[in-house]
Amino acid sequence: MISLAQARALIAENISPLSAVAAPLGGACGGVLRQDVWAKDDLPGFDRAAMDGYAIASDDASEKFRMVAEIQPGAAAKCKIGHGECARIFTGALIPAGASQVLMQEDVRIEGEFMVPVERSRVTHVRHRGEDARKGDLLLKSGMRLGAGELALLASLGVTRVKTSPPVRVAHFATGNELMAPEKKLAPGQIRDSNSTLVATLVRQFGGEMVKQARVADDFDLLLEKTRALKRSFDLLLISGGASVGDYDFGKKLLAALGFKIHFSTINLRPGKPLVFASRGKQAAFVVPGNPVSHLVTLHVAVRLAFEQFSGGKTSWTLVKIRLAEPFDFQPGTRETFWPARMEIQNGELVARALRWQSSGDVTGLIGINALLQLAANLAEPRVGEDISVLMLEVP
Ligand code: AMP
Ligand code: MG
């Protein structure tokens, strides 16, 4: 049985980035940038006022200054400020020729057509051309994720379309005769399908787009027919349930019949030991064990990496050390364990608290989950107050 680290290496090796597409800024948030971006011009592009006040030459020691112009932001100031002169100016406006300092309006007195400094300091209150970035500076590197800050920078550079990773196209089948749509009344033996909602939510969070999602009975031929019909319409196929070795667990057989190469089918992991990963050309597939906790854990520790590989971005294995706040029902084991947990702030300090986890079939154990405690195989019981290894589920 391979370790999770080995499994992750196999996922990384067998998935390549999807071809980049050009996206308008409005559609690029959350995508991975697939080009370098340089400053086409200086930022800011001209010397400008950083305060509302009066523009003068900084070496002009006059006692009062005649107001010869008013410059609003956006105006192309054509005046030239001479000795003993100033221009009324507002934050963001272009500093006129001859001026090199803005006296804050709070530091002056107005006497008719004159401005009289009450207080003078060395601070110029001028944002100089190129102070933020110089023309030709490399500002954004290929591979970084685009958020509000990066998109605002692109807009200020005049870059309105960027090469980004396309959303990963996902097809998902939840398998099981017992599964019913959440809105349905249940007959004895039936349960509501919660994994489809879990998967749809995480797929969106990981940068995917669901192109097909359906529940399918434990019927090999039916599942084969449905997955065959997908052809090349997906990048990633996710099958929920049927990863194990029960009589009706035919995930692995299905992928083999579809021409996928199986890279692994069990990992030394708790929960989530039966996890199948396979690839076919540029496409990849997972069969994910059906229990809700196993689902959530494997989607985060393994499937998420597939999304990152497809997007060509950095991988985010967000392990941190955080203080354990409370004892929990720890049982040492021979498998590396990821225990559902919550990071929270207690008395101004970030701490981790294990959530109740009796069975991987429990759904209430997922309430408030935002982290997983990483417990190495054969680890001694972690003590309250000790730093513990925690995988953050929301990437900072
Ligand atoms: P399996 O991986 O198919 O052996 O399923 C393991 C357990 O997870 C069984 O108790 C299933 O009923 C349950 N399960 C499987 N699929 C789902 C689902 N989509 N939603 C909720 N529970 C599920
Ligand atoms: Mg099943």
Side-chain angles (χ1 to χ4, degrees):
M1 209 167 11
I2 62 170
S3 67
L4 176 65
Q6 288 167 319
R8 285 177 59 87
L10 285 167
I11 295 167
E13 265 166 43
N14 287 289
I15 298 180
S16 344
L18 300 171
S19 302
V21 292
L25 296 191
C29 187
V32 170
L33 183 66
R34 295 282 291 276
Q35 62 170 99
D36 290 336
V37 177
W38 285 270
K40 292 193 288 187
D41 298 297
D42 289 340
L43 271 184
F46 53 91
D47 291 354
R48 58 182 183 177
M51 289 287 173
D52 293 327
Y54 299 84
I56 60 167
S58 61
D59 58 359
D60 185 343
S62 305
E63 277 188 5
K64 56 185 192 175
F65 297 79
R66 181 188 300 279
M67 290 184 272
V68 297
E70 179 182 280
I71 310 163
Q72 287 186 18
K78 290 199 182 71
C79 58
K80 184 171 186 326
I81 305 300
H83 184 80
E85 290 179 346
C86 72
R88 176 71 170 124
I89 199 162
F90 302 94
T91 304
L94 189 149
I95 301 287
S100 52
Q101 183 177 23
V102 174
L103 302 187
M104 284 166 63
Q105 64 187 41
E106 292 86 341
D107 293 342
V108 307
R109 197 171 70 230
I110 302 304
E111 289 177 4
E113 54 184 320
F114 288 93
M115 178 276 286
V116 181
V118 178
E119 233 181 86
R120 285 201 61 170
S121 84
R122 287 178 166 293
V123 186
T124 63
H125 299 302
V126 174
R127 294 272 288 124
H128 290 282
R129 174 178 181 154
E131 206 178 86
D132 196 11
R134 285 263 172 223
K135 181 176 177 172
D137 284 353
L138 176 60
L139 296 180
L140 301 177
K141 279 200 183 155
S142 180
M144 76 180 305
R145 203 164 278 282
L146 294 170
E150 293 76 26
L151 294 173
L153 170 71
L154 289 166
S156 58
L157 292 172
V159 178
T160 55
R161 287 179 84 77
V162 274
K163 275 194 188 168
T164 59
S165 54
V168 178
R169 297 167 307 159
V170 179
H172 174 233
F173 291 105
T175 67
N177 292 346
E178 73 278 33
L179 301 180
M180 294 301 287
E183 65 273 18
K184 288 276 162 60
K185 270 224 158 103
L186 302 180
Q190 295 180 330
I191 60 165
R192 294 195 178 90
D193 165 21
S194 58
N195 287 340
S196 291
T197 301
L198 182 83
V199 170
T201 308
L202 290 179
V203 161
R204 218 174 301 125
Q205 190 184 319
F206 296 164
E209 173 192 17
M210 197 67 90
V211 291
K212 170 91 189 169
Q213 190 172 39
R215 271 176 294 280
V216 190
D218 287 316
D219 176 336
F220 180 79
D221 294 329
L222 182 63
L223 195 55
L224 186 62
E225 182 193 317
K226 287 194 180 282
T227 43
R228 266 210 180 118
L230 295 171
K231 297 193 174 132
R232 307 259 149 215
S233 63
F234 66 91
D235 304 305
L236 182 63
L237 173 64
L238 299 176
I239 310 275
S240 289
S244 195
V245 291
D247 291 353
Y248 297 98
D249 291 334
F250 29 61
K252 207 166 137 184
K253 188 171 138 201
L254 172 82
L255 294 181
L258 290 168
F260 277 79
K261 180 173 181 233
I262 312 286
H263 299 291
F264 60 79
S265 54
T266 41
I267 312 185
N268 193 24
L269 181 68
R270 181 176 66 161
K273 181 172 128 190
L275 178 72
V276 185
F277 169 61
S279 65
R280 178 179 74 181
K282 288 177 181 293
Q283 296 174 304
F286 288 91
V287 185
V288 187
N291 273 315
V293 179
S294 315
H295 236 67
L296 189 129
V297 168
T298 49
L299 280 159
H300 275 285
V301 303
V303 179
R304 173 181 212 148
L305 177 61
F307 282 88
E308 291 166 347
Q309 286 298 118
F310 274 125
S311 71
K314 288 196 200 86
T315 55
S316 53
W317 189 235
T318 47
L319 275 180
V320 287
K321 292 272 185 190
I322 301 180
R323 205 165 62 76
L324 179 67
E326 293 169 10
F328 65 106
D329 180 26
F330 173 82
Q331 297 124 17
T334 52
R335 282 192 268 155
E336 182 180 10
T337 300
F338 284 85
W339 192 296
R342 176 159 182 81
M343 293 186 303
E344 57 194 19
I345 295 169
Q346 286 181 4
N347 303 322
E349 191 201 349
L350 192 63
V351 294
R353 181 167 62 76
L355 297 174
R356 193 176 58 87
W357 176 27
Q358 286 167 337
S359 148
S360 296
D362 292 350
V363 219
T364 56
L366 303 180
I367 300 170
I369 190 167
N370 65 6
L372 298 169
L373 307 183
Q374 185 205 32
L375 305 157
N378 306 312
L379 185 80
E381 182 164 359
R383 273 187 241 138
V384 171
E386 264 177 12
D387 278 350
I388 185 167
S389 186
V390 170
L391 184 75
M392 296 190 287
L393 300 188
E394 279 137 42
V395 180

